[in-house]
Structures are given as C-alpha cells and as structure tokens.
Amino acid sequence: MKRNKQWDVRGAVGFAALFHFLYSCAIGCLLPFLTLYFRHLGLTAVMTGTIMAVKHIVALVWRPLSCILARRHNKRRMVITGSLVCSAAVVLALLLFPPTGKSTESRSCNISQLSAVHELSLTTLKPKTTEKFSSPVVYSTEHKLKPAQEHNNTENIPAMPVNISALHNNQSTIVTTTSSQSDRQESLEAKKVQMPSPGKRSRSLTKREQKQQETDKIQYEFLGSLKVMDTQHQMFFLVMIIIILWEILAAPLMWTADDGLHEYLDFVDATERHRAVKPWRLLGTAGGMGCSGILVSILYCLIGTVLHFYTYALLMVLTVPLAALLPLYRHKREHVPGAGLKALHLVRGDSQAVLCAITAVLTGMAGSAVSDFLLWQMQDHNATELQMGIILAVVPLCQAAFAPLNGCLTRLLKVHGRLLPIGIMGLSLQCLSYSFMWTPWTVLPSQVLAGISIGALWWSLEAQSVDIASPGTELAVKRVFETLYLDLGAGLGSVAGGFVVQKFGIKALFQGTAAMLGVWCITLAVLQWRIPRQRRINYSRLLAADASEMSESESEQDNDWLEKAMEVDNVNNNWRRLD
C-alpha cells in the first residue's frame, strides 16, 4: 500500500450508509409481512412459528461461521455480492406454491367482496320467490325426514308392487359375483401354494435383482408416505426448505459488510464513525415497510401480496453495484484471535452483563412473538396493507429518533442500567395494549412506546458491552447481545408463540408476553439493586479529557487511576497482534 494514499473517511461512511439503507429497505419490504404470506398459503400458527424458529436457528449457527470464513479467505466482497443476488432469486421460489385451500386469512379483494355480496343477495332472494310460488309445486314443500322419523313412519308407507323377475335377476347377479370372488380366492391360494419358499427364491435371484427390489420397495414406501401426507404438511415442508436455503444465503451479508467497514475505520483511527450507519438502517427499514404497504394496498386487486417479494428482489439487485464499491479492508495486524469466545467469557464473568444477556433473550422472545402474529390480529380486524405498513414503520422511526439522545442520556443517568427496567416495562405495556385492540389505528400509540423502549434497551446493551469489552473485542461483545436478542430469543419466541396462538389465541399470547416481561422487570430491578456494580475505567475518555477543565487534584487522581489501570491491564492482557 502506498504511503500517500488518501483515505476519505466521510465518503466511505456515506457510501456504506447508502448501502445499508437500500439493503434494510429491501428487508423491510418483505420480512415483516412474511408470516402474513404463510397464513395466505394456509399454514397454521404452529407451522408458521416453526418455520420462523428454524430461520433464526440457521442464522444463529451460520452467520458467525460464514463471517469467519469470509475474512480468513479474504472473500468478503464476493460473499456480499453472491448473497444479494442468490437470496433475491431463491425467495421468489415461494411464489411458485399455490395456496392449499385452507387459508385462515379473512381479507379478500374489494371486487371479490362485491361479487360475494351480489351472490348473497341472490341467494337470499331465492327462498322468497319459491315460497311465493310454492303452491302449485308439490316437491318444494316436502321436508327431508330424519333417520329416526323414517324408521318410525315405515308403517304408514303404502304397499308397492314388486317385480319378481327383477328380483330373480338381482339374485342371479349376486350369485355370480360371489362365485367370481370365490374363484379369485381359490386362484390366489393356488398361487400361494405354487410359490416357492423364500430360501429357494433367494437362490434363484441374483444379488443385483435383490438390491433392485429393495430399492424399489423403499421408493414405493417413501412415495406412499408422501401421498398419505396432506397438502398442508407438504406445503409446510416445501416452504421450510426454501426458507432455510434463503437464510443460508442471506445471513452472512450484514455482518460481513460490518466487519469490513469496522476494520477500514479502525485502520484510520475513526472507529467512532461506525455508529453513524445504524440510523440509516433504521430509516431504510421504516421506508421499506411503509412504501411496500402503500404499494400493495393500491395494487392488491391486481397482483395481491406478491409485490412484497418483487420489491425485495428489485432492491437487492439495485444494491449489487453498491456492493462492488463498498469500503472494505482486511486489517491483518489488529485482529484479536478468538474474539467471539473471549467476548462470551467477558459476558459470563460480569454479573451485570449476565443480567443484560438474560434480558436480551427474554425481550427477543417477546419481540419475535409480537412481530410474527401482530399482523394476523390486525388482519382479523380488517386492517389493510396501508395501515399495516404505516403502523410497522413507526417503531424503527422512533428508534432512529432515539439515537441522537444517547449523549444526553449518558450525562443524565450516568448509569445505563437504570434505563433497562424502564425499557422492559414499556415493552410489557405495549404487548398488553395489543390484546385490547379493537381497530387497527389503536395500535399506533403502542408502536411509539415500543420504538422508544427498544431504543432504550439497545442503548443500555451497547453501553454494557463498552463497559466490559477489552481492547479489540468491542464489536464482538456487542454481537453477543445482538445474537441473543435476534437469533436465540427470537427462535424460542417463534416456537412458543406458534403453540400459544394455536391453542389459546393471539390475545392470550400478548397477555402472557406482557406478564412475562412485567415479572422480569421487577426481578431485574431487585437484582440490579442487590448486585454490586464494578465500574471500569475508560482509557480513551481519560486520555481525551481536556487538562484545562480539570483541577490539579483531579488530574493527579486520574493519573493515579490510569497508572494502576495500565499496570493491571499489562498483567491481565493476553491478546497479541498478528503480523
């Protein structure tokens, strides 16, 4: 690398923000509405929850592994480009499956509603016309008797003449059929007698013929089991295969792009600029939800809900040229070996971090249950795609608006753990309000509360990751909490949510989720009060502090703290730089 090469940090961050904006917009167009499409295909709540849980589990295992492989072989750009193209192609395969005919959705197009109303009016008019002209028609006034009434009224039936010749013919046909059946049985018994014993037959057959018969028998049993399976379960397994393949292709994209950008900014000592990308992701997600909802609501009677898939594929293809110019860098000298395992060890060794990890899992379960089945409840209340898109877009917009307040909250609270129970309580109230929905627009205040609560939750988790992280593991510790929330907690929540909705209903799901979060909020507040808090020194803040703003005594005290911390850090620091 040349020494005089100019590094445009602002341009690199802006280009990465545009890439993440388009990608998040594509995700927002499809992913929140995916469970609604599963309902359109006729899948039950348990099937939907299982498919979403498998999707999260695949991401939990494959995402970190794929990022490690992409970095080790220096194939990040190729992985990003291939993920964009292949995931857009694979997800369109879901459109090849027709509905099973057992769709549980209640919404239909306006034209179909008009035709249904017209048919209903015709059917309601028919009985009136028949009643009016029923006097000359004898069979229109007859009523069908129940089996018990027919049996009781057999005495009143008049005697009917019987055709003896016809009875004779029927008896002859019965005799012939019975004789033919007896002949068939005798022939089968004769064949069984003539068949050789298993030992003689095995001697006459070759090994190749025996293997061919065994394979034919296995194939026949497999095809027979598929024929026995109903269309709903066939659809379930086919959709699960497509979703697993889609997640395998799409999972490495976000972390791989993040790793390259983080190492690029770390090389030029501008790691703090990495935070500027997150608000653009949230804005892209909100834009994708709102725009796709508006377009589908307008064009629903023409193409239906498949527009979500087409907009996703189109935006993913438009992001491919940006991936070719995405700022990526492989920092060979500043990589910490085993950063993920070290991050897990740091989280496990701090009591406050363990509480944050449990909070991430429980809130991930609640968030997954809400996101999977909220649109089902809104659809039951006759919500349109326009209402769904706007209501869903409120949450990321509030999160993006919460991001500039991080500095003010840091100076105001001084301890980020105090905001964690408040965020959980907000999510509990949000879930409780969903269970009392009577119109779709009543969810809007709850969505505002949810956006602020999720923003406070993530700010607290990120602050905790900064407190416990050692040099070189900041991003890895942050991803531990992200994985617990988005993958592990979301997978458990999808499975549990599907079974609860199937057995008790959607309202019971929201009420149970609210109760779970409320209990954990009280428990977390008590545990935070009882557990002593260990404050860790932030070296960068001490070194960046202005000497003019501190008195001599404060500066001497900070220097003493800094010397002690550097001595402890030299003893306990086990990581080294790779040349």
Side-chain angles (χ1 to χ4, degrees):
M1 183 182 296
K2 296 181 180 180
R3 292 281 184 180
N4 57 356
K5 184 177 179 180
Q6 298 294 327
W7 295 82
D8 188 6
V9 178
R10 183 178 296 178
V13 172
F15 200 85
L18 180 60
F19 171 82
H20 286 284
F21 176 82
L22 287 179
Y23 173 71
S24 301
C25 189
I27 294 296
C29 288
L30 177 61
L31 193 58
F33 304 94
L34 195 60
T35 56
L36 203 63
Y37 187 75
F38 293 160
R39 194 184 195 188
H40 169 71
L41 292 178
L43 301 181
T44 62
V46 175
M47 294 178 179
T48 302
T50 305
I51 291 174
M52 297 303 293
V54 170
K55 176 181 179 298
H56 294 304
I57 296 302
V58 170
L60 175 66
V61 176
W62 175 241
R63 184 182 286 126
L65 182 61
S66 60
C67 292
I68 293 172
L69 295 175
R71 188 192 184 280
R72 181 175 297 177
H73 298 284
N74 198 15
K75 300 294 183 181
R76 283 175 174 168
R77 200 176 302 277
M78 185 180 70
V79 168
I80 293 171
T81 306
S83 180
L84 289 170
V85 176
C86 296
S87 60
V90 169
V91 77
L92 293 177
L94 290 174
L95 301 179
L96 301 176
F97 303 144
T100 59
K102 299 179 181 180
S103 178
T104 57
E105 62 178 353
S106 59
R107 186 189 169 189
S108 59
C109 183
N110 292 330
I111 298 175
S112 62
Q113 288 177 356
L114 291 175
S115 61
V117 171
H118 181 67
E119 292 177 358
L120 182 63
S121 63
L122 291 178
T123 54
T124 53
L125 287 175
K126 281 182 180 180
K128 294 181 181 179
T129 55
T130 54
E131 288 177 0
K132 184 176 180 181
F133 299 98
S134 60
S135 55
V137 183
V138 177
Y139 63 86
S140 63
T141 58
E142 293 179 355
H143 298 283
K144 186 177 180 179
L145 296 176
K146 295 182 180 180
Q149 294 176 352
E150 291 177 356
H151 179 73
N152 295 330
N153 296 331
T154 51
E155 298 177 356
N156 299 327
I157 298 176
M160 297 293 293
V162 180
N163 193 350
I164 300 174
S165 61
L167 290 175
H168 181 72
N169 294 330
N170 292 333
Q171 291 177 356
S172 62
T173 53
I174 293 172
V175 170
T176 53
T177 52
T178 53
S179 61
S180 62
Q181 289 179 358
S182 61
D183 294 337
R184 289 178 184 175
Q185 290 179 357
E186 291 176 357
S187 62
L188 289 174
E189 291 177 357
K191 288 181 180 179
K192 288 182 181 179
V193 172
Q194 294 175 4
M195 286 178 64
S197 63
K200 295 180 180 180
R201 186 176 62 182
S202 61
R203 295 191 192 98
S204 62
L205 294 175
T206 61
K207 294 182 178 180
R208 184 177 298 177
E209 291 177 352
Q210 290 179 358
K211 291 182 179 178
Q212 185 66 29
Q213 288 180 358
E214 290 177 358
T215 54
D216 293 340
K217 184 178 180 181
I218 294 172
Q219 291 178 358
Y220 179 76
E221 292 178 354
F222 176 72
L223 293 175
S225 63
L226 288 179
K227 290 180 180 179
V228 170
M229 188 184 301
D230 58 350
T231 57
Q232 194 176 29
H233 285 82
Q234 291 178 3
M235 180 69 69
F236 167 68
F237 286 109
L238 290 175
V239 170
M240 182 181 288
I241 292 171
I242 297 298
I243 292 297
I244 290 174
L245 183 59
W246 177 45
E247 188 63 29
I248 290 174
L249 295 172
L253 199 150
M254 185 63 73
W255 279 20
T256 305
D258 257 356
D259 285 340
L261 180 63
H262 188 270
E263 293 188 11
Y264 177 91
L265 296 175
D266 190 24
F267 184 75
V268 295
D269 296 330
T271 313
E272 68 278 358
R273 296 288 189 91
H274 190 266
R275 299 178 182 177
V277 179
K278 184 178 179 180
W280 291 101
R281 293 178 188 167
L282 297 173
L283 292 176
T285 304
M289 292 175 179
C291 294
S292 63
I294 293 172
L295 290 176
V296 172
S297 180
I298 295 174
L299 304 176
Y300 182 79
C301 292
L302 296 178
I303 57 177
T305 58
V306 298
L307 189 61
H308 293 294
F309 295 87
Y310 292 137
T311 52
Y312 171 82
L314 179 62
L315 289 173
M316 294 290 275
V317 172
L318 292 177
T319 315
V320 172
L322 298 179
L325 303 174
L326 190 67
L328 301 175
Y329 184 72
R330 186 169 178 246
H331 207 170
K332 299 179 181 179
R333 303 180 65 182
E334 297 293 337
H335 178 64
V336 181
L341 296 177
K342 191 172 183 180
L344 288 173
H345 180 71
L346 291 172
V347 172
R348 186 176 59 86
D350 189 86
S351 56
Q352 297 289 338
V354 171
L355 292 179
C356 290
I358 298 174
T359 302
V361 174
L362 293 179
T363 52
M365 292 176 61
S368 176
V370 168
S371 61
D372 288 346
F373 298 103
L374 176 61
L375 295 185
W376 285 34
Q377 190 182 21
M378 293 179 65
Q379 191 179 56
D380 293 339
H381 288 81
N382 298 324
T384 61
E385 295 283 342
L386 176 64
Q387 294 171 331
M388 295 178 186
I390 294 175
I391 289 172
L392 290 177
V394 172
V395 176
L397 284 178
C398 293
Q399 287 183 254
F402 187 84
L405 302 177
N406 292 344
C408 299
L409 290 174
T410 304
R411 293 189 296 269
L412 180 63
L413 295 176
K414 296 181 180 179
V415 179
H416 56 80
R418 298 174 183 174
L419 196 61
L420 199 59
I422 299 175
I424 299 172
M425 183 57 67
L427 293 176
S428 177
L429 295 176
Q430 169 210 4
C431 295
L432 186 62
S433 63
Y434 288 159
S435 61
F436 297 103
M437 180 194 305
W438 62 89
T439 58
W441 291 117
T442 55
V443 188
L444 201 58
S446 302
Q447 293 293 94
V448 175
L449 180 62
I452 297 174
S453 301
I454 294 174
L457 176 68
W458 275 110
W459 175 80
S460 183
L461 293 178
E462 290 175 359
Q464 181 66 42
S465 64
V466 171
D467 285 349
I468 66 173
S470 60
T473 61
E474 294 86 357
L475 186 61
V477 174
K478 178 183 174 182
R479 283 182 175 174
V480 169
F481 294 116
E482 184 178 347
T483 303
L484 293 175
Y485 181 89
L486 296 176
D487 296 329
L488 181 60
L492 296 176
S494 296
V495 173
F499 280 98
V500 171
V501 171
Q502 186 79 18
K503 192 170 184 180
F504 302 103
I506 300 178
K507 291 184 179 181
L509 172 66
F510 291 147
Q511 292 173 0
T513 305
M516 179 192 69
L517 292 177
V519 172
W520 176 245
C521 177
I522 298 172
T523 307
L524 179 62
V526 173
L527 291 176
Q528 285 182 343
W529 177 61
R530 296 298 299 270
I531 294 176
R533 184 174 185 82
Q534 298 177 357
R535 189 172 182 180
R536 187 179 177 88
I537 298 172
N538 195 331
Y539 309 115
S540 60
R541 292 179 183 175
L542 291 175
L543 294 174
D546 191 3
S548 60
E549 297 179 357
M550 298 184 298
S551 61
E552 294 181 358
S553 60
E554 291 177 351
S555 63
E556 292 176 358
Q557 185 179 2
D558 289 338
N559 289 331
D560 294 339
W561 276 100
L562 181 59
E563 290 176 1
K564 292 180 181 178
M566 292 179 68
E567 290 176 1
V568 174
D569 193 28
N570 290 329
V571 175
N572 297 328
N573 192 7
N574 296 323
W575 68 282
R576 59 187 179 86
R577 296 182 178 181
L578 296 178
D579 294 332

